[in-house]
């Protein structure tokens, strides 16, 4: 986890709220309720997917030293969503692809910042394009920061570490 993590685990009530937040987020994305998903984000969200390199054993693994696959803020996420909502603006999702997300191995810790949680999970995205017979699989680890805003949990940061060095998806026009 990130350095701000105290390592103190959350209690059962907090864990259930965090897990329900994740389930709600997945439901919004899988059903293309992008306005609902945006409502789950903080105004200062940072959504990043740095590249990962694969190196021989014994050599240092470099993460985040090259240009990221994604480096988004609330403004750029809104632009991407507007493009996906209107088929005229994109060919990547015209026609729509079918996307299903599976999030597992959710671990949560309290941050040193009151009201924030460090959440690590694994995600599998199954994407089926209408023109392809074989579904595309994308797996990743997600490191999230969830923050309480007016009593509600919101996603304040997500770092996605894809388990791929080459993507066979044609594009990354989906959210993990």
């Amino acid at each position: 986890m990130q350095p701000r993590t105290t390592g103190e685990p959350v209690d059962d009530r907090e864990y259930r709220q965090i897990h329900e937040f994740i389930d709600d987020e997945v439901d919004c994305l899988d059903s293309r309720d992008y306005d609902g998903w945006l409502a789950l984000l903080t105004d200062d969200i940072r959504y990043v997917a740095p590249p990962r390199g694969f190196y021989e054993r014994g050599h240092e693994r470099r993460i985040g030293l090259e240009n990221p696959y994604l480096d988004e803020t609330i403004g750029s996420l809104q632009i991407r969503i507007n493009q996906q909502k209107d088929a005229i603006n994109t060919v990547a999702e015209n026609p729509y692809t079918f996307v299903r997300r599976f999030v597992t191995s959710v671990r949560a810790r309290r941050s040193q910042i009151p009201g924030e949680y460090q959440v690590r999970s694994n995600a599998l995205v199954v994407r089926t394009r209408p023109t392809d017979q074989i579904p595309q699989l994308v797996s990743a680890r997600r490191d999230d920061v969830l923050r309480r805003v007016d009593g509600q949990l919101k996603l304040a940061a997500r770092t996605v570490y894809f388990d791929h060095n080459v993507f066979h998806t044609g594009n990354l026009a989906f959210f993990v």
Side-chain angles (χ1 to χ4, degrees):
M1 296 253 180
Q2 298 178 0
R4 297 187 308 193
T5 304
T6 63
E8 183 181 337
V10 297
D11 62 31
D12 289 344
R13 182 183 61 78
E14 290 169 312
Y15 184 80
R16 182 175 172 91
Q17 290 173 343
I18 289 166
H19 213 292
E20 286 179 2
F21 173 88
I22 291 170
D23 289 343
D24 290 344
E25 181 197 14
V26 165
D27 188 48
C28 284
L29 289 171
D30 283 355
S31 64
R32 291 190 202 98
D33 177 9
Y34 297 123
D35 293 327
W37 184 65
L38 280 173
L40 298 176
L41 310 180
T42 62
D43 290 339
D44 63 342
I45 177 105
R46 194 68 190 278
Y47 191 106
V48 181
R52 294 175 80 171
F54 293 89
Y55 302 93
E56 294 179 24
R57 289 184 184 184
H59 294 285
E60 184 177 339
R61 187 174 200 179
R62 300 177 342 192
I63 296 177
L65 298 179
E66 291 88 19
N67 291 331
Y69 296 114
L70 302 168
D71 188 356
E72 309 282 356
T73 63
I74 193 70
S76 60
L77 288 169
Q78 287 173 326
I79 290 168
R80 286 185 63 195
I81 285 170
N82 288 339
Q83 288 174 332
Q84 289 193 20
K85 286 166 63 172
D86 189 351
I88 294 170
N89 293 327
T90 182
V91 295
E93 286 295 308
N94 184 12
Y96 284 121
T97 58
F98 301 105
V99 181
R100 182 79 53 220
R101 292 156 188 84
F102 300 90
V103 179
T104 64
S105 304
V106 177
R107 300 185 70 181
R109 302 282 187 264
R110 289 188 187 109
S111 171
Q112 291 180 354
I113 298 172
E116 281 194 1
Y117 302 95
Q118 302 289 328
V119 181
R120 176 171 282 181
S121 60
N122 295 327
L124 177 66
V125 178
V126 180
R127 182 181 191 212
T128 306
R129 297 181 63 85
T131 55
D132 295 340
Q133 293 180 346
I134 301 172
Q136 303 159 353
L137 302 176
V138 176
S139 66
R141 186 185 85 217
R142 305 184 324 175
D143 286 346
D144 295 343
V145 175
L146 298 184
R147 180 185 307 146
R148 287 203 185 278
V149 177
D150 297 327
Q152 300 293 315
L153 286 176
K154 294 200 176 230
L155 181 63
R158 171 164 294 154
T159 304
V160 179
Y161 298 102
F162 290 110
D163 296 326
H164 309 267
N165 60 345
V166 175
F167 290 92
H168 298 284
T169 60
N171 59 55
L172 289 174
F174 55 90
F175 301 100
V176 178

